[in-house]
Amino acid sequence: YGGYARLMTAIRQQRAIDPNAILVDGGDFAMGSLFQTAYPTDALELRMMGAMGYDATTFGNHEYDYRADGLASMLNAALDSGEALPQIVEANYKPPVAGEEGYNEDSQAVWDAFERYGVKDYAVIERGGVNFAVFGILGVDSDSCSPMSGMILQDPIETAKQVVARIEAEVAEPRVVIALSHSGLWPDPEKSEDELLAASVDGIDVIISGHTHSTLEEPLVVNDTYIVSCGEYSKNLGVLTLTMEGEELSFSNYELIPVDSSVAEAE
């Protein structure tokens, strides 16, 4: 199962069905394989996502495995490649600023890399006459899984409220608001961070749920927000189809497309 070459075939098949679809990732695009040893020097994963046509991604806890200086180095290596790259959105997990506790030269290196790359709270992807406003959130458990990140966690729910308010003020209709949330889903609903995010923040249309790598066969619907997650290790390509009539969104289809040996490898 898995593999970028197979995943690329599945992506191309979906693009043939709907050329206006957007392609996003919920974080942990770098984790646990030999490819990650080249993460800070060659940015293989981010460059591969650019080659595959990803529109946007966010950071998961594994993007901090090489600490703050490794993250900055990776972003600069990606840019130095001169290749196509996805947009990166991250609203609530950032380095301390000058004068703040914990600030050091690595913090500044990350700020410089963020500015150079264009990392922002949210990005707008216009496709088919619709403005997709995509923002990134990292959760409490993800923060605890990256204790050497050098970042400061701002409250995910409060930050999301602020970002959604900005989107509603700054982004024209027709508009779809998407959270790339590296927070996760848990059996206990009182601890299930993405369910709590949806319940607490009005105005999010879709949450792409990362971190726990949950496999949802059907979307969870909380406070009119669709929460989706397609599992781990590129075992599936998740496809969510929504229909917009005027400014009203309605659910049309959701499926997990297996990425296994039955899928040909793209050249």
Side-chain angles (χ1 to χ4, degrees), residues 4 12-13 51 75-76 78 133 166:
Y4 279 144
R12 286 174 176 169
Q13 290 170 345
L75 292 173
N76 284 316
R166 284 174 51 200

Side-chain angles (χ1 to χ4, degrees), residues 7-253:
L7 180 59
M8 186 74 255
T9 294
I11 289 169
R12 286 174 176 169
Q13 290 170 345
Q14 290 304 308
R15 285 193 176 128
I17 295 171
D18 186 359
N20 289 322
I22 67 168
L23 179 62
V24 297
D25 175 86
D28 277 358
F29 53 80
M31 62 177 295
S33 74
L34 286 175
F35 289 105
Q36 197 187 22
T37 61
Y39 171 87
T41 56
D42 293 271
L44 299 178
E45 301 91 344
L46 202 57
R47 290 163 58 196
M48 183 65 74
M49 291 173 69
M52 297 170 74
Y54 275 83
D55 292 293
T57 187
T58 192
F59 299 125
N61 52 284
H62 282 287
E63 274 69 71
Y64 301 95
D65 286 350
Y66 287 84
R67 306 189 183 191
D69 61 333
L71 175 66
S73 178
M74 184 276 294
L75 292 173
N76 284 316
L79 290 164
D80 290 343
S81 73
E83 298 171 9
L85 300 168
Q87 297 188 74
I88 297 177
V89 288
E90 177 55 70
N92 73 316
Y93 204 56
K94 299 175 182 178
V97 298
E100 195 171 8
E101 182 179 356
Y103 175 81
N104 55 31
E105 62 182 15
D106 290 340
S107 307
Q108 189 58 52
V110 174
W111 281 119
D112 292 343
F114 276 14
E115 182 177 3
R116 185 180 174 212
Y117 194 102
V119 177
K120 59 189 73 172
D121 293 350
Y122 78 89
V124 179
I125 304 163
E126 192 280 328
R127 200 68 54 78
V130 176
N131 290 316
F132 294 90
V134 183
F135 71 98
I137 287 289
L138 189 131
V140 175
D141 189 78
S142 289
D143 174 48
S144 69
C145 291
S146 49
M148 305 301 290
S149 69
M151 305 295 119
I152 295 176
L153 180 73
Q154 303 294 331
D155 184 272
I157 289 174
E158 292 306 313
T159 301
K161 288 179 180 178
Q162 295 168 15
V163 174
V164 170
R166 284 174 51 200
I167 289 171
E168 291 176 343
E170 298 169 0
V171 181
E173 298 277 7
R175 177 182 63 224
V176 178
V177 179
I178 301 173
L180 305 184
S181 177
H182 203 81
S183 304
L185 299 164
W186 307 86
D188 183 350
E190 295 185 0
K191 297 180 180 179
S192 189
E193 292 191 55
D194 281 328
E195 291 181 83
L196 293 171
L197 180 67
S200 303
V201 183
D202 295 335
I204 302 175
D205 296 307
V206 179
I207 294 176
I208 308 295
S209 179
H211 187 49
T212 51
H213 309 292
S214 306
T215 303
L216 293 180
E217 299 292 341
E218 296 291 337
L220 297 176
V221 184
V222 178
N223 191 22
D224 294 327
T225 299
Y226 294 95
I227 306 173
V228 293
S229 182
C230 61
E232 59 188 1
Y233 306 138
S234 299
K235 289 181 178 179
N236 301 289
L237 174 65
V239 180
L240 174 67
T241 306
L242 301 174
T243 299
M244 177 170 282
E245 296 182 5
E247 297 178 2
E248 295 297 321
L249 277 179
S250 60
F251 173 76
S252 295
N253 186 53

